[in-house]
Amino acid sequence: MRAIRFVTAAAVIVVALSQFGCGKKAGEEFVGKWEKVSGNGSQELVIDRNGDGNDFYMADKVPNLAAESKADAMKTERIPATYADGKLMLMVGVPFALTIDKSSGHLVMEDAEYQKAK
């Protein structure tokens, strides 16, 4: 009888621990490659996590004003961001918020709209 209780308790613990890590992390909907649908801004953005917490970064291609050839005419700029209250807040001098439109799934910012790249 003790063996059955022990095996049952061990199984419950294993199942509970395996389920603990499941599920999406906060802000996961922002992660990925985005293509511009409308508005101003870059043609594409890449958003990724910066560790395990609420820290993210947005990678954006911008003109390289110090370029010496066509090969390095564009450079990748990484902008830090933090997830809070359903928004991704970019740290660009003044707070700049990115949100996900629930109806379309598009990434929306002040002057542009992006969809997930396929």
Side-chain angles (χ1 to χ4, degrees):
M1 197 65 160
R2 275 188 158 176
I4 293 173
R5 284 189 209 160
F6 178 77
V7 170
T8 303
V12 168
I13 290 171
V14 167
V15 168
L17 289 176
S18 66
Q19 294 298 315
F20 181 73
C22 294
K24 289 187 172 185
K25 294 182 178 181
E28 196 66 28
E29 66 272 19
F30 289 95
V31 174
K33 188 174 184 177
W34 297 87
E35 297 172 337
K36 185 168 72 170
V37 175
S38 65
N40 298 325
S42 298
Q43 290 299 315
E44 67 180 33
L45 303 172
V46 177
I47 298 174
D48 205 356
R49 280 193 178 277
N50 189 18
D52 276 342
N54 288 339
D55 297 328
F56 294 80
Y57 67 86
M58 181 179 79
D60 185 12
K61 292 201 180 230
V62 296
N64 181 3
L65 301 177
E68 295 180 10
S69 68
K70 278 191 172 188
D72 63 342
M74 300 295 279
K75 67 179 181 177
T76 301
E77 183 178 64
R78 293 175 83 181
I79 303 167
T82 303
Y83 179 80
D85 300 325
K87 298 177 184 175
L88 198 61
M89 301 299 291
L90 297 175
M91 310 302 169
V92 288
V94 296
F96 192 79
L98 305 175
T99 57
I100 302 287
D101 181 358
K102 302 279 187 217
S103 63
S104 66
H106 289 183
L107 176 72
V108 180
M109 59 179 63
E110 190 174 312
D111 57 351
E113 187 171 332
Y114 292 81
Q115 69 182 0
K116 275 264 182 151
K118 295 179 177 151

